[in-house]
Amino acid sequence: MKRDVTLVIGSKRYSSWSLRPWLAAKVAGLAVTEVEIALRQPDTKADILAWSPSGKVPLLIHDGVKVWDSLAICEYLAETFPEAGLWPDDAAARAVARAVSAEMHAGFPALRNACPMDMDMGTQAPLDPLPAEVASEVARINALWADCRTRFGAGGPFLFGRFSVADAMYAPVVSRYATYALPTDALGQAYCAALWALPAMGLWRDAGQEGAVS
């Protein structure tokens, strides 16, 4: 199976949805060709439509197959490259990993609206006071992280020990925790630090902070 993929992504500074499958592909050791489309520009919509029928990024192209939607791309990568171990081996852990990934994919609207991902901001915009609806969602995320780490995380520093799709789904949240100084406990801080320290995460972060187009 060809291990080179093309990912059509949005600007690394802003595109949380693009970060998720990009990070999964990079950690899986795939050769990623990037088509990076500048967001928030007059031609953005037309530029995306030239690649993706959904009019949104990201889009994966691999061996004649096109897949859109971040979670669907991650599922495709996990199925196509099982040796990468992008889902936990244990059935119970795998079920929970899918559940927490889907919850991130579909939920947390207050956090998304109040704390958009912006890699160029670093830790420059603490959210104080924290709106009640955001605080509630942050508490839920902290509880999810604690539950996954406690029950399934013995094999490594990530939610299910080794890196998985679940970590890719929460990577933009870790960025938001840094940018907006969102509260978490020692376990959450350690998890954020582990994800933040991934070499691939550093590449994305540096490119986003520089406004670079890969």
Side-chain angles (χ1 to χ4, degrees):
M1 178 66 67
K2 293 170 56 178
R3 295 186 59 81
D4 53 316
V5 300
T6 296
L7 275 170
V8 182
I9 60 176
S11 304
K12 289 191 174 78
R13 176 173 174 177
Y14 303 119
S15 187
S16 59
W17 291 110
S18 297
L19 168 58
R20 293 174 166 108
W22 183 94
L23 187 62
K26 285 289 191 178
V27 173
L30 306 181
V32 180
T33 298
E34 299 173 20
V35 178
E36 188 170 341
I37 295 175
L39 301 181
R40 306 182 182 180
Q41 301 299 314
D43 296 333
T44 295
K45 190 70 170 181
D47 290 343
I48 294 174
L49 282 169
W51 289 92
S52 175
S54 71
K56 297 179 180 179
V57 288
L59 171 78
L60 173 79
I61 305 171
H62 174 252
D63 205 20
V65 176
K66 291 185 177 182
V67 186
W68 55 97
D69 181 87
S70 293
L71 187 52
I73 293 171
C74 289
E75 286 277 14
Y76 177 86
L77 295 175
E79 291 180 0
T80 306
F81 305 102
E83 70 281 359
L86 288 175
W87 288 120
D89 296 327
D90 176 74
R94 191 163 60 249
V96 174
R98 282 194 159 101
V100 300
S101 297
E103 185 171 353
M104 181 71 256
H105 188 265
F108 307 105
L111 178 65
R112 298 183 199 279
N113 291 332
C115 304
M117 191 178 85
D118 189 338
M119 285 291 183
D120 193 48
M121 291 168 64
T123 56
Q124 298 175 358
L127 199 62
D128 186 22
L130 198 63
E133 62 273 19
V134 177
S136 176
E137 292 183 358
V138 168
R140 172 58 182 160
I141 291 169
N142 289 337
L144 280 174
W145 288 353
D147 180 60
C148 293
R149 289 289 299 133
T150 301
R151 288 202 287 158
F152 304 110
F158 301 107
L159 293 179
F160 296 85
R162 70 168 185 255
F163 180 90
S164 73
V165 169
D167 301 297
M169 293 302 294
Y170 283 87
V173 177
V174 168
S175 168
R176 290 175 167 101
Y177 269 60
T179 299
Y180 301 99
L182 300 176
T184 190
D185 57 14
L187 189 152
Q189 291 171 2
Y191 172 63
C192 288
L195 199 50
W196 206 240
L198 276 174
M201 191 72 169
L203 290 174
W204 182 283
R205 181 173 68 246
D206 292 345
Q209 289 173 344
E210 296 167 4
V213 177
S214 302

